[in-house]
Amino acid sequence: MSKSREKAFDEVLNRIPQVMKDPERRVSEYFGENIFHLDKMRECLTEDAYKVVKSAIEHGTPVDRTHADQIATAMKDWAISKGATHYTHWFQPLTGSTAEKHDSFFKPISAGKAIERFEGDLLVQQEPDASSFPHGGIRNTFEARGYTAWDPTSPAFVIGKTLCIPTVFISYTGEALDYKMPLLKALQAVGDAATDVCQYFDKNVSVVKPTLGWEQEYFLVDSALYNARPDLVLAGRAVFGHEPAKGQQLDDHYFGSIPERATAFMKEFEYESHLLGIPVTTRHNEVAPNQFECAPMFEEVNVANDHNLLLMDVMEKIARKHNFRVLLHEKPFAGINGSGKHNNWSLGTNTGVNLLQPGKNPKSNLQFLTFFVNTIKAIHDNADLLRAAIASASNDHRLGANEAPPAIISVFIGSQLTKMLDDLEKNVKAGKMTPEDKTKLKLDIGKIPEILLDNTDRNRTSPFAFTGNKFEFRAVGSSANCAQAMLVLNTIMANQLIDFKKTVDARIKKGEKKDEAILKELQVLIKESKKIRFEGNGYGDEWVKEAEKRGLSNLKDTPRALDVWSKKESKQLFGKLGILSEREIEARHEIELENYILKLQIEGRVIGDLAKNHIMPAALEYQNVLIKNVQGLISVLGEKEGREAARTQINFIKSISKHVNNLNDKVNLMIDERKKAREMDDTREKAYAYCDNVKSMFDEIRYHADKLEIMVDDEMWPIPKLRELLFTK
Ligand code: ADP
Ligand code: MG
């Protein structure tokens, strides 16, 4: 076996499981211990300061300087009691991961004297040296400065020895440079719009908050094997590797018993998550070998999203302790399932009602139907924006592949609700409705909770599915920041609800009764949004044809999906609601294209290096062995008989030459295309070039490398094989 592969294997075989000692306390006793939440603030703030911060959290009101000082001091004292020595503003630049810069609490005040200091100004605002974060041109034209500003709605937390304060990241001119800032605006917009619509049904509703419950899928790979695979290290996915003889066809991993080493890892990262108040409750094996999932209880979207980002970070840290590496990439291994991050989404009111949960009587069911139908209409009108929200170089490998949602956005609601909507579409009469009509409709609507109970026909192939009391956006990628999907979903929903309210109000003004006005408007929306509803198999080829007939978009790759951001309708929509300005949208479009380009550039380089420096030398080494063997046979048996005896070896020699030549030619072509693409100035054209001319060659290059893998002596193969990466426990 090649030295590096052998060494990696030795390490794996000698692993001792790193089992954490079970905590002596119950989860309820230590849950949230490392976050500075409202209950803790009540203990250490004055009545006044507590009220100010509570109102900031619940209603987004500002925190004045005096109270900020008091909160900062309390936060610092609490953090120091937890062992913290440093603090950081924790933010979400558009690179995709989170960023932090640690500063010490300690300040020298005179010779030989120091104090621990942390005041309101440091809590509320900071100016990180942020010149290398992506800004899409926003910071070039004005000043290079960027600010982080405290988001009190997400609790500060201590990790290791650092107090982390969730913040937004904005430019000197106030433009968003991060994911959180526009998300907060979108959440506010949809909350306000939903609250207005709720007034038709219940005047006690004064606050609506969108909720998010994510499900995080991931792969675990032993760190020694991982380190012996430059493609996993640099690109997060295996760019080469023949499919193992056994993949996921037996379905024996899904919900099977979790391997011991993986369990030990999960226990520890769940423990750390619970300390941070992340309500992780579920763990199980996923479909592919070495693939797992974890999911928390849902929370308000902003906090849920911070928790997901934090969890990804915690997972990676803890995994290293257990000699694992977590692969969050959407498609680390071709031929088996990729990883997603289902975003379960709904809207919750201050009165404790889930607006996407059918109620107990016709009135609350009409409210349910209102939000349900408006969601479908919002998706219908803005499917391309939703598609853009989940676009990334890594998710491109997954969408439309093995058991992953297609790139076509559609909505699944189940046969019972389909029938309900079809009935409504037919039975709401034009003109004034008779009392009998209304009674019948009320009866129909009253039946919803019953029908939902036996609504078991779940469809796992839909990118956007209704699952009884929430929608599940399944096309989101496992490595993504959910903020992008949530930004778009909540913005388009806000817009839709505002339109709905306007139209229904206008109907009422014209003399229609409230319920009738709502029903008639819902009927219009049901008709208009019909084509986005699809109940069939989203993985099938027929759906691609059917979707095309219906006029639905099928945007297969990121550069094309992102084009929607340059449309004036998109800019108007986000501008009108004050969520993103035209400039911010343009900057984001640019940044996403740049991210895409960089990712493909790295992949292209890794493919070239691995092919030339690892795979070809191994193939040629084996070919030399064969050549020696053929020469030996000829020298012993004579030319004719020797050749006859070496028939197989000679064919192998030829075959290896063929694949090596092809591999080298294709890699060189790809490198040429990469160079051409790199020289391009226009970012959009460049991204298209990387997609159409560079990435398009990856599969063919892989084909030849993978052929060589099954031909070359296993002992000589230089990198761990997929079988080893996936089935080593
Ligand atoms: P699945 O079968 O898809 O795993 P679950 O019922 O286990 O479905 O729920 C999956 C996720 O949905 C969980 O994270 C859960 O917290 C979340 N969820 C449940 N209700 C809501 C809601 N009202 N809003 C947002 N997410 C929710
Ligand atoms: Mg789910």
Side-chain angles (χ1 to χ4, degrees):
M1 201 183 286
S2 79
K3 272 209 197 89
S4 56
R5 190 157 147 241
E6 192 176 344
K7 186 166 157 277
F9 256 103
D10 280 352
E11 260 183 64
V12 179
L13 291 176
N14 291 320
R15 291 275 184 239
I16 300 162
Q18 303 283 310
V19 183
M20 186 186 89
K21 215 173 91 214
D22 276 337
E24 274 151 22
R25 298 173 297 162
R26 271 176 289 173
V27 181
S28 57
E29 291 173 73
Y30 58 79
F31 186 79
E33 199 166 272
N34 290 351
I35 56 175
F36 193 56
H37 52 67
L38 260 179
D39 284 351
K40 285 199 186 111
M41 294 192 211
R42 199 204 309 263
E43 286 165 21
C44 53
L45 293 178
T46 61
E47 183 79 19
D48 261 9
Y50 175 71
K51 272 194 193 139
V52 167
V53 77
K54 190 164 183 282
S55 161
I57 293 170
E58 283 163 10
H59 309 291
T61 49
V63 177
D64 61 273
R65 177 60 208 262
T66 329
H67 289 113
D69 276 343
Q70 202 193 118
I71 297 162
T73 307
M75 197 187 276
K76 176 203 68 186
D77 292 343
W78 168 80
I80 290 176
S81 78
K82 296 257 138 217
T85 55
H86 287 67
Y87 63 91
T88 180
H89 275 197
W90 183 77
F91 58 105
Q92 304 169 26
L94 296 163
T95 46
S97 44
T98 53
E100 45 198 85
K101 172 185 159 241
H102 298 195
D103 281 303
S104 172
F105 284 127
F106 134 91
K107 294 276 172 309
I109 45 171
S110 61
K113 269 197 138 197
I115 53 164
E116 262 81 37
R117 195 190 80 108
F118 183 63
E119 280 154 14
D121 53 347
L122 296 176
L123 166 67
V124 173
Q125 187 174 309
Q126 275 193 28
E127 193 184 329
D129 176 19
S131 48
S132 55
F133 291 114
H135 54 81
I138 279 185
R139 283 193 281 109
N140 287 348
T141 38
F142 293 88
E143 289 206 44
R145 276 155 49 186
Y147 290 103
T148 50
W150 179 35
D151 165 21
T153 61
S154 182
F157 53 91
V158 168
I159 276 197
K161 291 191 170 298
T162 305
L163 165 69
C164 300
I165 300 154
T167 54
V168 295
F169 180 39
I170 50 179
S171 75
Y172 181 65
T173 45
E175 275 130 340
L177 294 170
D178 71 346
Y179 285 109
K180 191 190 257 275
M181 174 92 167
L183 176 66
L184 290 173
K185 290 180 177 172
L187 298 178
Q188 185 71 43
V190 78
D192 291 348
T195 307
D196 283 350
V197 170
C198 281
Q199 304 310 304
Y200 290 138
F201 309 99
D202 182 358
K203 301 261 182 248
N204 293 321
V205 173
S206 57
V207 180
V208 174
K209 288 192 175 176
T211 50
L212 165 64
W214 41 263
E215 303 164 54
Q216 178 74 54
E217 293 181 335
Y218 60 95
F219 281 86
L220 280 182
V221 171
D222 187 275
S223 54
L225 299 175
Y226 170 94
N227 286 328
R229 288 283 311 211
D231 48 355
L232 288 184
V233 174
L234 298 177
R237 75 176 186 102
V239 297
F240 294 132
H242 199 276
E243 267 181 55
K246 178 185 170 195
Q248 60 190 42
Q249 62 274 64
L250 296 179
D251 274 341
D252 50 355
H253 187 66
Y254 193 45
F255 281 20
S257 77
I258 304 174
E260 193 190 351
R261 268 182 75 198
T263 312
F265 154 73
M266 287 177 192
K267 271 192 180 168
E268 187 165 352
F269 95 70
E270 284 169 12
Y271 172 71
E272 292 293 330
S273 302
H274 290 153
L275 288 174
L276 291 164
I278 307 173
V280 181
T281 51
T282 309
R283 58 164 102 120
H284 62 79
N285 290 355
E286 258 306 324
V287 176
N290 273 359
Q291 191 188 27
F292 305 92
E293 178 185 300
C294 72
M297 194 38 213
F298 69 92
E299 299 174 280
E300 179 274 315
V301 174
N302 175 43
V303 172
N305 188 46
D306 280 1
H307 279 169
N308 178 246
L309 292 164
L310 199 48
L311 175 114
M312 291 195 283
D313 211 40
V314 170
M315 270 172 108
E316 283 179 349
K317 283 188 186 126
I318 303 294
R320 282 170 195 246
K321 271 174 82 175
H322 292 260
N323 298 306
F324 277 129
R325 294 305 292 255
V326 175
L327 305 182
L328 292 169
H329 192 287
E330 282 77 0
K331 194 75 180 173
F333 307 107
I336 57 171
N337 277 16
S339 301
K341 179 150 50 200
H342 301 176
N343 277 205
N344 295 274
W345 171 87
S346 188
L347 295 161
T349 69
N350 60 312
T351 53
V353 172
N354 172 358
L355 293 170
L356 288 173
Q357 171 129 39
K360 291 188 183 65
N361 52 50
K363 192 175 117 190
S364 54
N365 273 339
L366 187 57
Q367 173 171 290
F368 157 73
L369 270 181
T370 296
F371 285 94
F372 180 67
V373 171
N374 272 288
T375 310
I376 299 172
K377 173 73 165 127
I379 308 299
H380 170 272
D381 291 359
N382 302 284
D384 286 357
L385 278 172
L386 215 55
R387 168 68 184 94
I390 49 156
S392 68
S394 48
N395 211 15
D396 278 2
H397 291 295
R398 164 181 171 254
L399 293 180
N402 251 65
E403 308 218 353
I408 308 162
I409 298 289
S410 66
V411 181
F412 168 86
I413 58 172
S415 56
Q416 314 262 21
L417 280 164
T418 300
K419 183 164 181 312
M420 178 88 221
L421 295 197
D422 290 347
D423 286 351
L424 273 180
E425 191 186 334
K426 279 204 294 280
N427 297 343
V428 179
K429 301 270 164 53
K432 260 211 157 337
M433 279 158 65
T434 64
E436 291 78 55
D437 289 341
K438 285 188 196 163
T439 313
K440 179 167 184 323
L441 274 171
K442 278 199 175 148
L443 269 175
D444 279 352
I445 294 171
K447 279 190 211 133
I448 297 176
E450 284 168 48
I451 57 182
L452 274 189
L453 277 182
D454 48 59
N455 181 12
T456 44
D457 55 340
R458 278 209 173 188
N459 185 332
R460 300 247 161 224
T461 68
S462 173
F464 201 90
F466 185 69
T467 50
N469 58 359
K470 62 197 182 283
F471 278 98
E472 180 171 346
F473 190 12
R474 304 177 65 250
V476 184
S478 50
S479 70
N481 183 328
C482 305
Q484 191 69 354
M486 286 294 116
L487 164 69
V488 169
L489 180 56
N490 289 291
T491 300
I492 63 179
M493 187 63 176
N495 186 52
Q496 176 56 38
L497 290 172
I498 291 168
D499 283 355
F500 178 77
K501 180 83 173 45
K502 259 192 226 143
T503 329
V504 172
D505 282 353
R507 281 177 179 275
I508 294 173
K509 226 177 177 176
K510 271 203 253 150
E512 284 178 21
K513 282 267 166 15
K514 188 179 74 185
D515 284 2
E516 197 177 330
I518 292 171
L519 277 168
K520 286 196 168 157
E521 187 51 25
L522 289 181
Q523 183 188 36
V524 172
L525 301 185
I526 291 169
K527 274 191 188 146
E528 286 176 356
S529 61
K530 212 165 173 180
K531 75 167 192 285
I532 200 78
R533 276 160 41 199
F534 178 61
E535 301 292 305
N537 176 14
Y539 297 165
D541 291 335
E542 306 79 52
W543 172 227
V544 177
K545 284 184 215 129
E546 162 74 14
E548 199 183 334
K549 250 199 254 154
R550 291 190 190 186
L552 299 178
S553 308
N554 183 5
L555 300 162
K556 290 206 187 79
D557 51 67
T558 295
R560 282 168 182 85
L562 292 179
D563 273 346
V564 69
W565 288 119
S566 52
K567 288 204 172 148
K568 81 173 181 304
E569 294 84 0
S570 311
K571 292 175 182 167
Q572 273 165 1
L573 168 63
F574 281 83
K576 178 170 80 182
L577 296 171
I579 293 170
L580 284 173
S581 69
E582 205 164 302
R583 230 161 81 83
E584 286 172 315
I585 288 183
E586 280 163 11
R588 265 152 213 271
H589 187 185
E590 176 94 5
I591 292 167
E592 291 209 42
L593 288 170
E594 272 166 10
N595 283 343
Y596 178 82
I597 292 166
L598 292 174
K599 289 268 163 64
L600 283 193
Q601 198 177 58
I602 294 170
E603 274 190 35
R605 287 180 180 159
V606 172
I607 288 173
D609 291 352
L610 264 183
K612 290 191 182 239
N613 303 333
H614 292 70
I615 291 172
M616 281 187 231
L620 297 178
E621 191 186 340
Y622 180 54
Q623 198 184 39
N624 280 339
V625 172
L626 294 172
I627 289 170
K628 258 203 199 126
N629 176 279
V630 175
Q631 286 167 339
L633 284 171
I634 290 175
S635 77
V636 173
L637 302 172
E639 179 77 27
K640 188 151 176 274
E641 207 178 320
R643 276 188 174 273
E644 180 52 28
R647 210 160 28 99
T648 305
Q649 296 87 312
I650 293 172
N651 280 339
F652 262 55
I653 291 168
K654 286 185 191 160
S655 205
I656 288 174
S657 284
K658 186 184 94 191
H659 289 300
V660 166
N661 284 328
N662 270 319
L663 183 60
N664 193 49
D665 292 348
K666 297 276 148 36
V667 165
N668 286 343
L669 275 177
M670 188 263 291
I671 293 173
D672 285 346
E673 290 298 336
R674 219 172 60 212
K675 280 188 184 140
K676 273 191 236 158
R678 204 186 54 209
E679 299 300 314
M680 294 181 163
D681 290 326
D682 182 87
T683 316
R684 182 173 166 276
E685 271 172 35
K686 194 170 177 172
Y688 268 78
Y690 269 98
C691 178
D692 297 341
N693 308 337
V694 180
K695 185 188 168 221
S696 59
M697 306 199 59
F698 290 177
D699 281 350
E700 212 181 341
I701 295 173
R702 181 178 191 142
Y703 171 81
H704 295 292
D706 292 357
K707 280 283 175 212
L708 289 169
E709 182 187 315
I710 49 170
M711 232 177 274
V712 170
D713 183 355
D714 183 65
E715 296 281 309
M716 290 179 180
W717 198 249
I719 52 176
K721 298 184 170 180
L722 297 200
R723 146 172 64 84
E724 293 156 348
L725 292 166
L726 287 168
F727 290 97
T728 315
K729 306 272 187 254

